[in-house]
Amino acid sequence: MGVKDVERASGDGADDAKAQYAKIAFAIAAYATCSSMMLIINKLAVTFLPAPSVVLFAQLLTSAVAIKGMSSAGIVDADPLVWEKAKPFMLVAIAFLGALYTNVKTLQFANVETFIVFRSSTPILIALMDYVFLGRQLPNARSWASLFAIVCGALAYVYTDSNFEVRAYGWVTAWYVVFAFDQIYIKYAVDSVKLTAWGRSYYTNLLAVMPVFVLGMVTREDLVLEDFEWSFNSVVALAASCVAGVLMSYSQFLLRGLISATSFTVVGTMCKIATVVINCFIWDKHASAEGLTALFVCLFSGMAYQQAPLRNQK
C-alpha cells in the first residue's frame, strides 16, 4: 500500500500531509507487528490452555486494568467511562468479542494457514460494505483485480489443503460473518464517537469482560479449569497473550481511526505473511507446498490494493 492509499490530510500544506502520513505509517507498522504475532501467541495459548473463553477473559480484563492504570498514572491518554459514549461501544464490545471468540475457536480446531486464507478473502466483502454503509467509492480496476486475485488464491488453497476439517471450516464461516459486521460497525463507531485510541481500547475491553465471562459459563469452560493442571508453558503462553492483547487492542484502534475499513482489512491480511513464516517453524500441521504457494498469492496480491476515497471527496 502506498501514499495513494492514505486518507487526505485534514490540514493545509505539505507539513500537515507529511505528519498525517507518518502517523498512518507508524500505525500500520505497529498493527502489522502485533497482528502477525497475536495469531501465533493465541494459537500457543489455546494449545496449552484449551479454554478459549478463559484466555479471552484474561486478555480483556488485563487490557482494561492495564489501560486504566496507565491512564491514572498519566502514561497514556484514555477517556474516562461516560455512559453516552459507552452506549454505542457496547455493540462494539459484542462484535469485538464475537470476532475474537470465533477466531480462537478456529485456531483450536484448524491449522493457522486455514484461518489466514479465509482472512485473506475478506477484503472484497468489506469493500462492498464500505460502499453501501460507510460512503466509500467502489474500488478502482487495479484494486478489484487485487481483491479477486486474493479470492482465487483462497480457492486454490482450499483445493490443495490436505488438512480439511469440517468442524474447523464451520468455525471459520461463523468467524467470517461476525468479522464482516465487526469491521464495518467498529469503523462507524470510531468515526462517530470522539475518543482517543487508548480510550476506544479501554471502552471495548472493559465492556467485553462481562459478556465473555457469561460465555465461559454457558460453554462450561469452568469444568476445564477444574481438572486442568497448570504448567510453566501454559502460564507463560497465557501471560504473553495478555501482554500482546494490550498492544494489539491499542494499535488496531489507532489504525481504524486513520484509514478505511477495507484498507484496515487489507493491512491485516498482508501482515499475515510473517505469521506463515513463523508457523512453518512451530507446527506440524502447516500446509503443503502447493497450499503455501496459493497462500502467498493471496497475501502478495493485496499489495496492489489502493484505498477508495469517500464519495464526497473531489
Side-chain angles (χ1 to χ4, degrees), residues 1-7 21:
M1 295 174 64
V3 177
K4 292 182 179 179
D5 299 322
V6 177
E7 296 283 6
Y21 178 75

Side-chain angles (χ1 to χ4, degrees), residues 3-24 258 307 313:
V3 177
K4 292 182 179 179
D5 299 322
V6 177
E7 296 283 6
R8 294 179 182 177
S10 57
D12 296 326
D15 289 342
D16 290 334
K18 289 180 180 179
Q20 182 75 349
Y21 178 75
K23 186 175 182 180
I24 293 174
L258 296 173
Q307 177 169 287
Q313 282 186 353

Side-chain angles (χ1 to χ4, degrees), residues 79-273:
D79 305 78
L81 194 64
V82 177
W83 174 241
E84 289 302 316
K85 292 183 177 181
K87 284 191 293 185
F89 265 79
M90 292 181 69
L91 189 53
V92 169
I94 298 299
F96 179 69
L97 174 59
L100 282 176
Y101 182 76
T102 52
N103 180 329
V104 172
K105 290 296 291 185
T106 299
L107 293 175
Q108 188 176 6
F109 298 112
N111 58 9
V112 173
E113 290 90 351
T114 298
F115 174 78
I116 291 176
V117 75
F118 278 92
R119 175 70 164 79
S120 299
S121 68
T122 56
I124 192 168
L125 174 61
I126 304 304
L128 294 172
M129 296 178 73
D130 235 348
Y131 173 78
V132 174
F133 297 108
L134 298 179
R136 290 273 162 187
Q137 295 182 20
L138 288 172
N140 58 26
R142 167 179 161 174
S143 294
W144 275 125
S146 168
L147 298 181
F148 276 109
I150 293 173
V151 174
C152 289
L155 293 174
Y157 176 82
V158 172
Y159 180 77
T160 60
D161 185 6
S162 60
N163 294 319
F164 184 88
E165 299 175 78
V166 174
R167 188 179 183 185
Y169 281 84
W171 276 111
V172 170
T173 301
W175 169 84
Y176 206 94
V177 174
V178 174
F179 179 81
F181 175 79
D182 170 272
Q183 295 296 289
I184 296 300
Y185 182 78
I186 292 182
K187 176 60 178 174
Y188 165 77
V190 165
D191 290 346
S192 302
V193 182
K194 301 304 178 185
L195 294 170
T196 65
W198 283 110
R200 297 167 195 150
S201 181
Y202 175 60
Y203 273 50
T204 302
N205 284 282
L206 181 64
L207 294 173
V209 168
M210 187 53 66
V212 80
F213 176 79
V214 174
L215 179 63
M217 298 302 294
V218 170
T219 56
R220 300 314 308 268
E221 289 190 7
D222 55 311
L223 298 180
V224 176
L225 290 182
E226 288 181 4
D227 300 325
F228 184 73
E229 294 184 6
W230 290 90
S231 65
F232 176 79
N233 288 339
S234 61
V235 172
V236 170
L238 182 61
S241 73
C242 290
V243 174
V246 177
L247 300 175
M248 177 65 179
S249 180
Y250 167 73
S251 64
Q252 71 152 319
F253 278 111
L254 177 64
L255 186 57
R256 283 180 190 272
L258 296 173
I259 62 177
S260 73
T262 306
S263 292
F264 180 81
T265 307
V266 172
V267 170
T269 298
M270 295 306 96
C271 73
K272 295 302 185 294
I273 189 67

Side-chain angles (χ1 to χ4, degrees), residues 44-63:
L44 288 169
V46 297
T47 297
F48 292 114
L49 176 57
S53 295
V54 175
V55 173
L56 291 180
F57 178 81
Q59 291 178 356
L60 295 170
L61 184 61
T62 299
S63 294

